[in-house]
């Protein structure tokens, strides 16, 4: 079984202007992450992949393309979560059959599900597949919080091997690290890679690594080598960049930055808005400033 630790790009998906998947562009983004960015893995079908706006068939197609392009070059995690549990179960089987190294599922969102319902959801997704599950914990978008005792109940299932922790609460992160030394914790906020690394994460999964991989690698390795002030210099530049990206529209700007490097990263999926001339111009300025 493949070691899941390391740095992952949350894979973007390239779309044509009419919203259909641009397969050529998607393959280019995948290759760029492997060959140029030297990522340890790809997190496929996450928020960054605009997954929650796609049909089941489109989600499957993206899992297929990513596996076909990446082969066994890097670790592949398939995000299969959705509030349609039947769909999640189907996608978990599909990705496992394709040979994905692990699964991940966002906490079920929109309705105020009880913890028992959340637990049932995870147990159902993995019960019939021979694969590992990483909980996708992102309370600022889902509104779903999980306490340490609740994580303990989820982690009692040996197939649930870790969590993608997209949360800025470092007290909770420290408590998680102490409580679950044998589970994998992946940091989900690229802005806070340095402090999360100090607290002993096993890796990180992020959208900005699609373009800012070299700096992310430096932050991660310098921090692990206890060269904190050097790492902080790189985190400062990174956070200037991330602030500029967020200000101009997160996923669209990352795609426009990839386009500057000759990659057909395409558009975002509606209801995300099409690029305006101002947004394109600003992305060019950001590219010149940081790359
Ligand atoms: C919602 C979302 O995209 N979260 C990502 C990972 O969890 C992050 O990589 C952020 O995009 C990034 O840290 C910028 O805020
Ligand atoms: C990590 C992240 O952004 C994702 O879920 O795609």
């Amino acid at each position: 079984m493949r070691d899941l630790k390391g740095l992952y790009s949350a894979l973007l998906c390239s779309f044509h202007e009419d919203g259909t998947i641009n397969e050529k562009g998607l393959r280019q983004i995948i290759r760029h992450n492997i060959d140029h960015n030297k990522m340890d893995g790809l997190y496929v079908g996450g928020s960054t992949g605009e997954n929650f706006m796609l049909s089941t068939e489109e989600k499957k197609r993206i899992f297929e393309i990513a596996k076909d392009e990446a082969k066994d070059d890097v670790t592949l995690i398939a995000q299969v979560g959705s509030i349609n549990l039947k769909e999640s179960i189907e996608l978990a089987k599909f990705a496992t059959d394709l040979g994905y190294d692990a699964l991940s599922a966002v906490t079920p969102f929109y309705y105020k599900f009880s913890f028992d319902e959340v637990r049932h959801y995870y147990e159902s997704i993995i019960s019939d597949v021979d694969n590992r599950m990483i909980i996708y914990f992102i309370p600022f978008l889902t509104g779903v919080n999980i306490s340490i005792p609740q994580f303990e109940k989820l982690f009692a299932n040996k197939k649930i091997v870790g969590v993608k922790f997209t949360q800025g609460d470092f007290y909770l992160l420290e408590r998680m690290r102490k409580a679950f030394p044998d589970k994998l914790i992946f940091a989900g906020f690229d802005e806070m890679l340095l402090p999360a690394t100090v607290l002993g994460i096993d890796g990180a999964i992020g959208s900005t690594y699609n373009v800012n991989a070299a700096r992310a690698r430096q932050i991660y390795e310098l921090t692990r080598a206890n060269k904190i002030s050097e790492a902080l210099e790189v985190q400062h530049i990174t956070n200037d960049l991330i602030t500029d990206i967020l200000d101009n529209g997160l996923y669209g700007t990352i795609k426009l930055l990839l386009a500057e490097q000759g990659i057909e990263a395409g558009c975002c999926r509606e209801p995300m808005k099409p690029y305006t001339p101002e947004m394109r111009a600003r992305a060019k300025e950001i590219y010149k400033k940081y790359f």
Side-chain angles (χ1 to χ4, degrees), residues 148 169-181 185 199:
I148 299 264
D169 180 344
F170 287 107
Y171 174 49
L172 181 59
L173 179 56
E174 180 277 331
R175 292 288 80 192
M176 296 274 288
R177 183 69 295 170
K178 170 91 191 319
F180 310 114
I185 304 179
L199 289 175

Side-chain angles (χ1 to χ4, degrees), residues 11 13 21 23-24 26-27 30-31 34 42-45 51 54-72 76-80 90-100:
L11 188 66
C13 184
I21 296 168
E23 177 169 336
K24 177 170 165 235
L26 175 56
R27 287 181 184 272
I30 294 163
R31 286 256 62 88
I34 299 170
L42 296 173
Y43 187 85
V44 184
N51 181 267
L54 306 184
S55 72
T56 311
E57 289 315 308
E58 288 170 320
K59 293 175 188 184
K60 286 184 174 173
R61 188 68 196 124
I62 290 167
F63 288 146
E64 276 175 345
I65 293 169
K67 180 63 187 177
D68 182 62
E69 191 60 50
K71 306 268 183 325
D72 291 321
L76 291 178
I77 301 177
Q79 196 296 122
V80 302
E90 185 182 329
L91 291 174
K93 291 199 178 110
F94 188 79
T96 300
D97 289 344
L98 283 174
Y100 273 70

Side-chain angles (χ1 to χ4, degrees), residues 8 10 43 46-49 136-138 140-141 164-167 186-192 204-210 242-243 245-246 250-251 254:
Y8 292 67
Y43 187 85
S47 317
T48 306
Y136 183 7
F137 178 64
I138 180 161
F140 96 96
L141 288 182
K164 173 161 127 54
F165 185 91
T166 306
Q167 237 280 31
F186 296 95
F189 270 131
D190 316 357
E191 301 83 320
M192 294 181 264
I205 301 168
S207 64
T208 64
Y209 306 157
N210 284 277
I242 294 178
T243 303
I245 290 176
L246 289 172
L250 178 59
Y251 306 128
I254 300 175

Side-chain angles (χ1 to χ4, degrees), residues 267-287:
C267 308
C268 292
R269 175 78 166 230
E270 281 184 325
M272 287 191 184
K273 67 170 198 278
Y275 302 134
T276 60
E278 295 72 28
M279 191 178 169
R280 288 180 190 275
R282 182 73 188 123
K284 277 191 191 296
E285 286 170 15
I286 295 172
Y287 187 74

Side-chain angles (χ1 to χ4, degrees), residues 207-224:
S207 64
T208 64
Y209 306 157
N210 284 277
V211 282
N212 194 46
R215 289 193 189 97
R217 180 69 67 183
Q218 277 184 302
I219 296 167
Y220 191 56
E221 296 306 340
L222 286 169
T223 306
R224 279 151 56 97

Side-chain angles (χ1 to χ4, degrees), residues 2-22:
R2 204 168 180 135
D3 179 11
L4 298 177
K5 293 181 181 174
L7 294 183
Y8 292 67
S9 276
L11 188 66
L12 294 154
C13 184
S14 178
F15 295 100
H16 294 290
E17 261 171 46
D18 67 2
T20 56
I21 296 168
N22 178 341

Side-chain angles (χ1 to χ4, degrees), residues 1-2 4 8 43-45 63 75-82 84-85 87-96 100-108 118-137 146 151 153-165 176 182-186 202 205:
M1 243 191 317
R2 204 168 180 135
L4 298 177
Y8 292 67
Y43 187 85
V44 184
F63 288 146
T75 309
L76 291 178
I77 301 177
Q79 196 296 122
V80 302
S82 120
N84 177 348
L85 178 54
E87 181 194 39
S88 296
I89 292 169
E90 185 182 329
L91 291 174
K93 291 199 178 110
F94 188 79
T96 300
Y100 273 70
D101 300 288
L103 305 170
S104 182
V106 72
T107 51
V118 171
R119 188 179 182 180
H120 170 74
Y121 163 91
Y122 283 106
E123 298 285 344
S124 306
I125 294 174
I126 53 179
S127 74
D128 290 334
V129 289
D130 182 17
N131 211 339
R132 296 169 282 180
M133 167 61 66
I134 293 159
I135 293 165
Y136 183 7
F137 178 64
I146 303 176
F151 268 114
K153 287 187 179 141
L154 294 170
F155 284 151
N157 185 323
K158 294 281 174 285
K159 285 180 170 176
I160 304 186
V161 297
V163 57
K164 173 161 127 54
F165 185 91
M176 296 274 288
D182 301 328
K183 297 291 179 180
L184 298 169
I185 304 179
F186 296 95
D202 300 289
I205 301 168

